[in-house]
Amino acid sequence: SIGTCAFMNDPLLGELEIPASVIEIAEDAFIGCPSLVILASEGTYAYSWALENGIRVRDNKEVSTELFSFVQPAGQVLVSGYSGVSTSPDLPRTNEYMEFVSGIADEAFIGKELTAISIPDGFETIGSKSFAEDPVPLEITIPRSVIYIGEDCFEETEVTISGYNGSYAEDYARQHKFKFLVIFEWDF
């Protein structure tokens, strides 16, 4: 359990992973934590509690890294390739060494026939030609954390980008005349 005022007034507390074994969280456990994002598996007590209490939550389901390759330029960890057959793979948040992934390398998914992909929150970059030459229409969801998308990222790909109002993804989509769908946020 997570008790009363356990993390009270911690403005720097960001992502916090809560395991499925936690079955009780005090109502005031996270008061004064404006940057908090709870990582919990969908269907767990922590996931439901976060939703009910208006705290941002992300599903932290395990994603196998076996089908992905990684590169590490300048201290970053980037997804650089995919050998799976799914047309809508879940991207890993960490590599095989549990280092956080910060983006997608140039040409990582070029010509892979993907139909849908969601970039995890926390990724910051999507490299050049990352999703180029995709022969089927691609729907991609891009979080606010992405601050760079390669100029020719979607070259020769019919793409629909979903993202937030005022985000880099929206600016990129409008600048390149891609279809853009707004993800609405609800304040509770």
Side-chain angles (χ1 to χ4, degrees):
S1 71
I2 299 176
T4 299
C5 303
F7 293 91
M8 185 175 178
N9 295 326
D10 187 349
L12 300 179
L13 181 61
E15 292 184 346
L16 179 67
E17 186 167 358
I18 300 179
S21 59
V22 172
I23 56 170
E24 184 179 350
I25 301 174
E27 187 175 326
D28 60 355
F30 299 102
I31 287 181
C33 300
S35 302
L36 176 63
V37 177
I38 290 178
L39 302 176
S41 295
E42 191 170 356
T44 63
Y45 176 83
Y47 190 92
S48 298
W49 182 91
L51 290 175
E52 290 169 11
N53 287 278
I55 294 176
R56 290 176 292 170
V57 63
R58 281 203 334 242
D59 188 358
N60 69 340
K61 64 183 169 192
E62 293 291 322
V63 176
S64 172
T65 60
E66 294 176 12
L67 301 176
F68 296 92
S69 54
F70 303 90
V71 293
Q72 295 186 302
Q76 296 180 306
V77 177
L78 305 174
V79 174
S80 61
Y82 172 64
S83 61
V85 295
S86 173
T87 60
S88 57
D90 289 324
L91 291 174
R93 290 190 177 99
T94 59
N95 66 6
E96 64 271 26
Y97 305 109
M98 298 307 292
E99 298 167 310
F100 284 103
V101 176
S102 61
I104 298 172
D106 294 349
E107 301 183 7
F109 296 94
I110 194 168
K112 287 291 184 180
E113 298 186 16
L114 301 181
T115 58
I117 195 159
S118 289
I119 307 301
D121 192 24
F123 277 39
E124 296 179 348
T125 62
I126 303 173
S128 296
K129 297 189 178 187
S130 293
F131 298 98
E133 301 174 24
D134 194 336
V136 296
L138 172 65
E139 295 178 8
I140 185 167
T141 302
I142 301 176
R144 288 184 199 274
S145 60
V146 171
I147 55 173
Y148 173 79
I149 301 172
E151 194 62 31
D152 51 0
C153 179
F154 303 104
E155 184 177 85
E156 297 182 37
T157 297
E158 180 186 334
V159 65
T160 299
I161 298 173
S162 294
Y164 296 93
N165 271 328
S167 66
Y168 184 87
E170 179 183 25
D171 292 343
Y172 183 91
R174 302 230 186 275
Q175 180 182 12
H176 292 85
K177 297 179 176 34
F178 293 127
K179 183 176 181 181
F180 183 78
L181 301 176
V182 175
I183 298 172
F184 289 100
E185 296 180 276
W186 303 99
D187 293 327
F188 295 97

